[in-house]
Amino acid sequence: MTQTDSAAAARASRRAQLSVAVGFVLTGIIWGSSFLFMKVALGGLSPGQVAWSRLVLGALALGLFVLVRRDRLPRRLAVWGHMTVLAVSFCVVPFLLFSWAQQHVTSGLASIYNATTPIMTAVMAGLLFRVERLKTVQIGGIVLGILGVVVIIAPWQGLDFSQGLVAQFAILGATACYGFSLAYMRRFVSDTGMSALVFSFLNIGIAAAIMLLLTPVLVLTPVTLHPWIVASIVLLGCLGTGVAYIWNQNTVRAWGPTRASTVTYITPLVGVLLGVIVLGEELSWNEPVGALVVFLGILLAQDRLRPRARLKTDEGADASAAAPPVVASGVSRPR
């Protein structure tokens, strides 16, 4: 290889790295903004209509990419069966729970609770599906994360089981669904050979098909539309439930699942800031404090508070694990 070729290869590599980094940041911003979009959309749509719209629009956006790239869908019925399970547990149920809950809690608080997804994943992967062994430090991280949730709930202020508290538990139910789904992927869908785009399209597409079947139950109610509501639901569907999935998968392939999962730290920051600035939401002291405790629990649950040399070695292994045959194992959630 000539010196000119080497320089060209280096420039191409830098451009590729920059593209991944930009996609990573944009994913965090879009997923963090999703809580604002849901809150605005709920001003004129029912929770079922919000979940229905984001999935249908997301499926259409991803379907266009599949058509342009002419990717092939899997033929094995077992794969379609597993993807149907994921469509329900990773999309339909948590999206409905989030949409309902955000009628009763702020968008900022919803974004903070969403950050418990890695802890839920560690619990499901280690205890339910047993796809990994939990170390003592990881168990400590899970316990610390639970304590962080308790701080956010603030039981010392009195537990009033009104819809607000029930809504908080509903969001935790949604993140438990995400944790179940991510562990399920590692157990059953890690060797299908699907591309990141095809995986995302099947996940969202099957969920959209399920929602279409539920249209008479969820959607046929009055709506109130104005430009902000329409814009919010379009952005939530096409970007948050569509394009951002592709960017996230590109990050997983380039950086490995461990580094890609740090998008979890961006989304609550964006969600809280937008809630305060755009919607004028108030933030209690215990919510950011509890979030910091949860983040520390995440670091321990992912076994990331280790010497730097060892962390780099493990991230190299993660990068290998993120190659196309096991791309599903590195999906960060969504929101």
Side-chain angles (χ1 to χ4, degrees), residues 10 71 78 104 116-117 119 125 147-148 158 160-161 167 176 178 196-198 203 212 216 237 266 273 292-293 296 321:
D71 282 357
H104 311 290
T116 63
T117 296
I119 292 176
L147 290 177
D160 178 13
F161 285 90
Y178 292 152
L197 176 57
V198 169
N203 188 207
L212 287 172
I266 299 177
L273 284 175
L292 290 175
V293 176
L296 180 57

Side-chain angles (χ1 to χ4, degrees), residues 56-66 197 201 237-239 241-243 246:
V56 171
L57 291 173
L60 290 174
L62 291 169
L64 288 176
F65 283 104
V66 171
L197 176 57
F201 171 65
C238 294
L239 292 183
T241 318
V243 176
I246 303 173

